[in-house]
Amino acid sequence: MADKKIIAVVGSTGAQGGSLVEAILRDANGRFAARAITRDPTNDKARAIAAKGGEVVQADLDDVESLKKAFAGAYGVYAVTNFWEHLSGEKEKAQAKNIADAARAAGVSHVIWSTLEDTRKLMKADDKRMPMLQEKYRVPHFDAKAEANAYFEGLPTTFLVTSFYWDNLYSFGLAPKKGADGKYEWTFPMGDSKLAGMAVEDIGKSAYGSFKAGQQYIGKTVGIVGENLTLTQMGEKISKGMGVGPIRYNAVDANVYRSFGFPGADEMGNMFQVYRDFEKEVTGARSANVARQLNPDLQNFDQFIAKNKSKIASAMNPAPAA
Ligand SMILES: NC(=O)c1ccc[n+]([C@@H]2O[C@H](COP(=O)([O-])OP(=O)(O)OC[C@H]3O[C@@H](n4cnc5c(N)ncnc54)[C@H](OP(=O)(O)O)[C@@H]3O)[C@@H](O)[C@H]2O)c1
């Protein structure tokens, strides 16, 4: 243990970081040890990591000094920010800057920055197809991450471009649900375009593969995906894998989706519209072959459904409100 290289994992109690911690801990004879970063080491997920042998360290992305301490002595840092906690592009950038500054101060050898593309580059500034959000972003959680890439320049960084998590089916309420006629349906502004998706577990495993490969991916932008599928194809696979009837796909206009009114509806409407209108660019920036080189266990959507059947079933059939 003592001679293992430490990977300090931001977001260790969450989906991406948690899957990396899991990948490191599972490889008990590997060269790396996990240092799990959380604001609250007493939370259940942090305790579970500690129980499996991971080191747990307290730090806050809003406090650069706490990050410097948490990164001290580490070989690597997995860097992810959580837009959905505050819905602010500016805050996401400030937190990314804190991570980069602390990684620089700690002199780490490899940073993986979980990023996304700048969707503003896909459209002219006066393009009216979707609104600007927070004054200057098309899709704030994409564009802010892309802007934050600059903070990592000069650091030994892998820019990991991730994809839509299929886990959103159960963790973000996006699974098909029964409509008024008792048949399953779901609604997206995706037309017939393909959505670049993957199991979040495979983001952690790919990051681990990148740390293991070391030099090969430093200074590189690496886009990963499990499979690109239309919503119709996804519905067919869910129907077959879950043993339920056909899933009706309501392909609404992006303006309609943006008007749904749930927190982040405008953001999600813009995001899906980018996936829809710029299918070639978005899918072209991600590769399942590269993801498989980093992580030979990469799942396709059928495998993901089979592995997560009970969680998907619960999400498709939520208990009636009491
Ligand atoms: N959902 C998708 O399909 C998708 C796809 C691609 C990219 N993303 C991006 O993924 C990011 C979220 O990652 P996730 O899904 O892994 O999130 P998550 O499961 O919600 O977990 C969030 C993690 O961030 C940590 N965290 C949040 N604020 C922190 C702070 N101030 N200081 C220290 N730690 C903090 C939390 O740690 P503690 O609470 O323990 O402190 C937790 O471990 C988002 O920015 C999103 O844009 C999402």
Side-chain angles (χ1 to χ4, degrees):
M1 173 79 190
D3 55 356
K4 289 198 182 211
K5 293 176 171 175
I6 295 165
I7 308 288
V9 182
V10 174
S12 65
T13 59
Q16 287 192 31
S19 66
L20 171 59
V21 169
E22 193 62 38
I24 298 171
L25 292 177
R26 213 180 296 118
D27 189 10
N29 296 320
R31 290 177 282 131
F32 296 97
R35 179 181 289 168
I37 295 177
T38 172
R39 285 165 293 186
D40 177 12
T42 67
N43 77 36
D44 288 348
K45 286 184 180 159
R47 283 179 196 273
I49 292 169
K52 287 187 206 161
E55 182 191 1
V56 176
V57 169
Q58 197 277 336
D60 192 320
L61 299 183
D62 297 325
D63 174 0
V64 70
E65 295 305 322
S66 72
L67 290 172
K68 286 180 190 169
K69 283 190 206 131
F71 294 169
Y75 164 84
V77 166
Y78 186 73
V80 59
T81 45
N82 185 13
F83 173 85
W84 296 102
E85 185 168 313
H86 45 72
L87 305 177
S88 160
E90 293 308 295
K91 181 152 174 140
E92 188 159 33
K93 282 192 297 186
Q95 293 185 333
K97 182 172 187 307
N98 283 344
I99 299 173
D101 288 348
R104 198 170 279 109
V108 303
S109 299
H110 192 172
V111 179
I112 297 181
W113 164 229
S114 176
T115 189
L116 290 163
E117 55 267 76
D118 193 330
T119 63
R120 294 166 296 190
K121 293 189 176 156
L122 299 168
M123 289 157 262
K124 292 201 171 123
D126 62 354
D127 194 312
K128 295 281 184 285
R129 80 181 75 198
M130 64 179 74
M132 296 300 278
L133 301 176
Q134 299 176 29
E135 292 174 9
K136 54 180 177 174
Y137 304 115
R138 294 291 188 179
V139 185
H141 73 285
F142 275 56
D143 303 343
K145 286 185 183 69
E147 265 190 46
N149 289 353
Y151 302 133
F152 294 89
E153 293 297 340
L155 277 165
T157 303
T158 302
F159 298 87
L160 188 68
V161 180
T162 62
S163 288
F164 177 86
Y165 311 164
W166 291 326
D167 307 70
N168 291 328
L169 291 182
Y170 53 80
S171 60
F172 222 77
L174 296 185
K177 303 202 183 46
K178 282 185 179 158
D181 61 359
K183 294 183 175 155
Y184 286 103
E185 62 176 352
W186 61 357
T187 300
F188 290 94
M190 282 287 299
D192 293 325
S193 293
K194 289 181 174 169
L195 180 62
M198 70 191 300
V200 74
E201 179 187 0
D202 287 327
I203 297 180
K205 287 182 176 176
S206 300
Y208 188 42
S210 174
F211 278 124
K212 285 198 286 188
Q215 233 16 69
Q216 194 183 341
Y217 294 100
I218 290 176
K220 304 261 164 54
T221 297
V222 178
I224 53 173
V225 66
E227 206 175 357
N228 301 310
L229 295 167
T230 64
L231 268 292
T232 301
Q233 289 170 324
M234 290 177 75
E236 285 166 1
K237 286 176 182 294
I238 291 173
S239 163
K240 190 163 169 226
M242 300 300 296
V244 298
I247 290 166
R248 186 168 55 233
Y249 168 36
N250 303 315
V252 291
D253 185 76
N255 282 324
V256 172
Y257 196 92
R258 280 187 279 270
S259 74
F260 282 164
F262 61 84
D266 49 359
E267 168 96 23
M268 300 252 299
N270 281 15
M271 177 189 79
F272 285 124
Q273 191 177 356
V274 164
Y275 276 111
R276 184 192 75 188
D277 292 359
F278 301 98
E279 179 195 44
K280 192 161 102 334
E281 291 83 353
V282 174
T283 58
R286 292 157 173 81
S287 160
N289 286 338
V290 170
R292 203 168 290 106
Q293 277 162 25
L294 290 166
N295 161 33
D297 299 335
L298 184 76
Q299 297 161 71
N300 62 26
F301 192 50
D302 286 330
Q303 291 166 315
F304 169 83
I305 294 167
K307 195 167 176 180
N308 295 283
K309 217 167 166 174
S310 63
K311 286 192 235 176
I312 298 169
S314 303
M316 290 174 73
N317 303 291

